């Protein structure tokens, strides 16, 4: 990242003058169509609530209950729908911020369009020694292959270019980047990775899964100031969508330091449930066990993130049978069963929660085997997490209902991936694909997220996909594998109480009830009444965390950041950091 990224730092600042608000009495929020998920999974309605000077809810009022006559502060909901803040159960906070600050190819629909955008970006940034970015997807370009270094050279021949695939499981390099990394025809891919080669055996430009690590030493690392800017940007993006808490899947020590710097400066508003990127980061950051909740329940490292396989789009997902469109491979397992169990055991013995990335049916079966073995040793409430659980052998789905397993899934992956999944798997292996309803029926704990920046961190698109199995275009008619549709109540729960439970935070936030943090949003659409298309178009009017406003759509129209410290009565409630 270059210093030029910092030029916008002041403008992007969420709250340049934010400080904890002075002591105050309860605040009343009324004139709302309130909805929250109860402990039994029902959606219950309310018309008002109060929260105290610590940003904790003190009372929730049902219709007919007498409201306080003279509250110290009053917030008029203006008849809007009031919901708990959304929880994204799987994303990458820092990557989301960096993706918004670097070259973004996610909107490109052809190789030619992507190359033109890359060329224009390089021309607009002549002082950057490397061109960095991502978001490309050869499936959307209808290439039938990966792009090449030679094609990238045609756009930027004079300096290295390194661009991550949309799923983060492959990267595209030009010749200058391959040279800088020392990747030659003699280079060997590490276990669990692949160097895509041309017919002559030369590196063609794309590195898959573990092979992307060959580029790490060459790419300039972001500076702390760049990371601070990326975190600030990520928070702003999430608040616009109504996301108030998230599970950060794969936190490095550098990420954690950025979170801590923001927390120390009272600039960390998002609630982050952190899962360390590997055992080394887990031990370095948290030491002998999970950290306490810091900054008024804003930050907690409670778990470990591991990878069992890669992604379906790059054919790194590990399948039980060969790929339908490439019979020469079953994918790229990242670990052996023994290695996986050893790493999971290392975390579990110190009471860290374990979250394992598993996309293919073979990978999911291996993780389930490991959980069943380890559950005999590590008793108690472990909440083993399987991240993505995209392609599961129907014979294995019942196993998700044992041992308190969390199925951490991303609804928009289904609508984005369905055509690619059909090509990769063929028609006979789709029964266990993105099987949300079956997971719930088996007794799994369902938590929904976005995997941002792979997808936009948009819970409304996720809820719409979950209740329809259709994309924004309304296709396919009747929904894809419609037997896996969930109810709107179940979808809302998976984005609120389910996400909190998945991160051991179910007593802190995720619902609007006495004793919970006052994390709430006002939206213009009632997800319990609207159809999928209307839900997808939901507009978040305001986002509040710990009794402080962090997003206001009206302020966004004028380009003014919400700083939680204006003269407006409601705005005097800064996000509580105590």
């Amino acid at each position: 990242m270059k210093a030029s990224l910092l030029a916008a730092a002041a403008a992007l600042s969420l709250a340049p003058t934010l400080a904890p608000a002075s002591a105050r009495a309860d605040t009343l929020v009324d004139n709302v169509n309130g909805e929250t998920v109860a402990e039994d999974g029902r959606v219950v309605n309310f018309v008002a609530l109060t929260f105290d000077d610590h940003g904790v809810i003190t009372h929730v009022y049902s219709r007919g209950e007498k409201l306080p006559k003279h509250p110290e502060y009053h917030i008029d909901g203006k008849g809007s729908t009031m919901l708990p803040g959304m929880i994204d159960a799987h994303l990458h906070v820092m990557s989301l911020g960096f993706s918004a600050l670097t070259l973004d190819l996610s909107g490109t629909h052809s190789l030619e369009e992507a190359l033109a955008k890359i060329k224009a970006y390089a021309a607009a940034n002549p002082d950057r020694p490397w061109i960095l970015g991502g978001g490309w997807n050869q499936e959307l370009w209808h290439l039938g292959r990966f792009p090449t270094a030679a094609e990238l050279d045609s756009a930027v021949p004079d300096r290295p270019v390194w661009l991550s695939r949309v799923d983060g499981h492959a990267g595209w390099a030009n010749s200058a980047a391959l040279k800088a990394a020392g990747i030659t025809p003699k280079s060997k891919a590490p276990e669990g990775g692949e160097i895509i080669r041309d017919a002559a055996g030369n590196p063609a430009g794309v590195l898959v899964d573990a092979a992307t690590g060959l580029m790490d030493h060459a790419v300039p690392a972001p500076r702390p100031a760049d990371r601070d800017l990326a975190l600030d940007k990520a928070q702003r993006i999430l608040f616009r969508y109504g996301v108030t808490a998230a599970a950060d899947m794969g936190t490095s020590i550098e990420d954690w330091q950025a979170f801590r710097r923001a927390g120390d400066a009272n600039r960390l508003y998002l609630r982050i449930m952190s899962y360390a990127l590997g055992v080394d980061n887990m031990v370095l950051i948290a030491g002998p066990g999970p950290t306490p909740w810091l900054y008024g329940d804003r930050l907690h490292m409670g778990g470990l993130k591991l990878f069992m396989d890669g992604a379906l789009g790059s054919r790194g997902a590990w399948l039980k049978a060969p790929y339908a469109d490439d019979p020469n491979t079953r994918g790229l397992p990242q670990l052996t069963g023994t290695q996986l169990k050893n790493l999971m055991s290392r975390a579990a013995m110190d009471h860290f929660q374990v979250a394992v990335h598993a996309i293919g049916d073979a990978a999911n079966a291996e993780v389930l085997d490991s959980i069943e073995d380890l559950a005999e040793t590590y008793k108690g409430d472990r909440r083993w997490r399987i991240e993505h659980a995209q392609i599961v052998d129907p014979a294995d789905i019942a196993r998700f209902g044992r041992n308190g397993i969390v199925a951490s899934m991303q609804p928009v992956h289904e609508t984005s991936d369905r055509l690619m999944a059909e090509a990769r798997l063929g028609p006979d292996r789709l029964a266990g694909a993105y099987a949300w309803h079956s997971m719930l029926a088996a007794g799994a704990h369902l938590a929904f997220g976005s995997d941002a920046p792979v997808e936009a961190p948009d819970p409304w698109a996720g809820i719409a996909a979950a209740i329809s199995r259709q994309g924004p275009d309304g296709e396919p008619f009747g929904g894809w594998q419609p037997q896996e549709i969930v109810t709107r109540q179940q979808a809302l729960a998976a984005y609120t109480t389910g996400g909190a439970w998945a991160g051991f935070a179910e007593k802190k936030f995720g619902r609007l009830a006495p004793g919970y943090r006052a994390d709430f949003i006002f939206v213009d659409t009632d997800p319990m009444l609207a159809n999928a298309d209307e839900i997808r178009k939901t507009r978040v009017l305001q986002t509040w965390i710990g009794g402080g406003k962090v997003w206001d759509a009206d302020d966004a129209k004028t380009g003014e950041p919400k700083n939680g410290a204006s003269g407006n009565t409601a705005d005097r409630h800064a996000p509580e950091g105590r």
Side-chain angles (χ1 to χ4, degrees), residues 193-517:
E194 182 181 5
I195 300 172
I196 303 300
R197 300 179 187 273
D198 61 21
N202 299 309
V206 168
L207 310 177
V208 180
D209 283 315
T212 60
L214 298 174
M215 192 65 64
D216 287 348
H217 72 279
V219 177
R223 298 171 304 167
D226 297 322
R227 292 183 181 277
D228 294 344
L229 181 58
L231 174 57
D232 186 86
K233 183 65 173 176
Q235 291 189 90
R236 294 173 64 86
I237 293 169
L238 293 168
F239 299 156
R240 187 175 76 233
Y241 286 111
V243 175
T244 58
D248 186 52
M249 282 294 161
T251 306
S252 69
I253 180 61
E254 294 84 4
D255 298 339
W256 181 261
Q257 288 170 329
F259 301 157
R260 291 299 304 263
R261 286 192 298 273
D264 290 345
N266 198 24
R267 298 171 66 85
L268 180 65
Y269 314 124
L270 179 70
R271 302 196 190 278
I272 299 178
M273 299 169 281
S274 172
Y275 292 77
L277 181 62
V279 168
D280 289 347
N281 279 300
M282 180 188 80
V283 173
L284 183 62
I285 294 167
T291 70
W293 282 90
L294 305 170
Y295 312 117
D297 296 336
R298 298 296 166 85
L299 180 63
H300 169 63
M301 176 169 280
L304 169 70
K305 170 72 180 300
L306 300 171
F307 290 86
M308 190 58 234
D309 65 348
L312 199 63
S314 52
R315 297 187 185 85
W318 186 28
L319 303 179
K320 291 185 175 182
Y323 278 78
D325 58 356
D326 187 352
N328 295 316
T329 183
R330 292 173 49 217
L332 296 169
Q334 302 296 295
L335 299 166
T336 67
T338 299
Q339 289 171 329
L340 176 64
K341 279 184 276 195
N342 285 342
L343 293 170
M344 292 174 68
S345 182
R346 174 64 186 85
M349 69 173 59
D350 284 338
H351 300 282
F352 288 98
Q353 188 184 14
V354 176
V356 186
H357 166 117
I359 288 182
D361 51 8
N364 277 280
E366 189 68 57
V367 178
L368 289 166
D369 289 345
S370 296
I371 290 171
E372 289 169 1
D373 285 351
L374 294 176
E376 295 296 319
T377 300
Y378 300 105
K379 305 293 185 179
D381 187 7
R382 295 289 176 165
R383 303 187 194 182
W384 311 96
R385 295 181 59 137
I386 300 183
E387 304 301 313
H388 307 302
Q390 282 181 213
I391 311 301
V392 180
D393 186 332
D396 288 327
I397 288 178
R399 301 169 70 189
F400 277 81
R402 306 167 194 159
N403 300 306
I405 292 175
V406 176
S408 172
M409 306 178 77
Q410 299 75 44
V412 177
H413 281 348
E414 178 268 316
T415 54
S416 297
D417 293 356
R418 65 179 180 86
L419 296 178
M420 179 265 292
E422 290 174 353
R424 296 287 188 270
L425 300 171
D428 298 330
R429 287 189 285 171
L430 298 175
Y434 315 88
W436 316 315
H437 176 81
S438 294
M439 290 291 182
L440 283 174
H445 297 271
L446 191 62
F448 279 161
S450 66
D451 202 15
V454 175
E455 306 280 3
D458 184 353
W460 316 106
I463 292 173
I467 67 172
S468 71
R469 306 279 287 195
Q470 293 175 313
D473 58 359
E475 294 294 331
F477 178 77
W480 189 78
Q481 303 289 325
Q483 72 277 6
E484 295 300 343
I485 285 172
V486 297
T487 68
R488 56 194 67 229
Q489 292 86 354
Q490 291 167 335
L492 180 62
Y495 272 110
T496 55
T497 54
W501 195 90
F504 284 93
E506 73 276 12
K507 298 299 183 183
K508 297 179 178 294
F509 50 84
R511 63 166 48 101
L512 298 178
Y516 283 75
R517 294 288 182 177

Side-chain angles (χ1 to χ4, degrees), residues 40-57:
D40 61 4
R42 293 179 302 111
V43 173
V44 296
N45 297 93
F46 61 92
V47 298
L49 61 73
T50 53
F51 60 85
D52 65 16
D53 62 331
H54 295 288
V56 175
I57 297 170

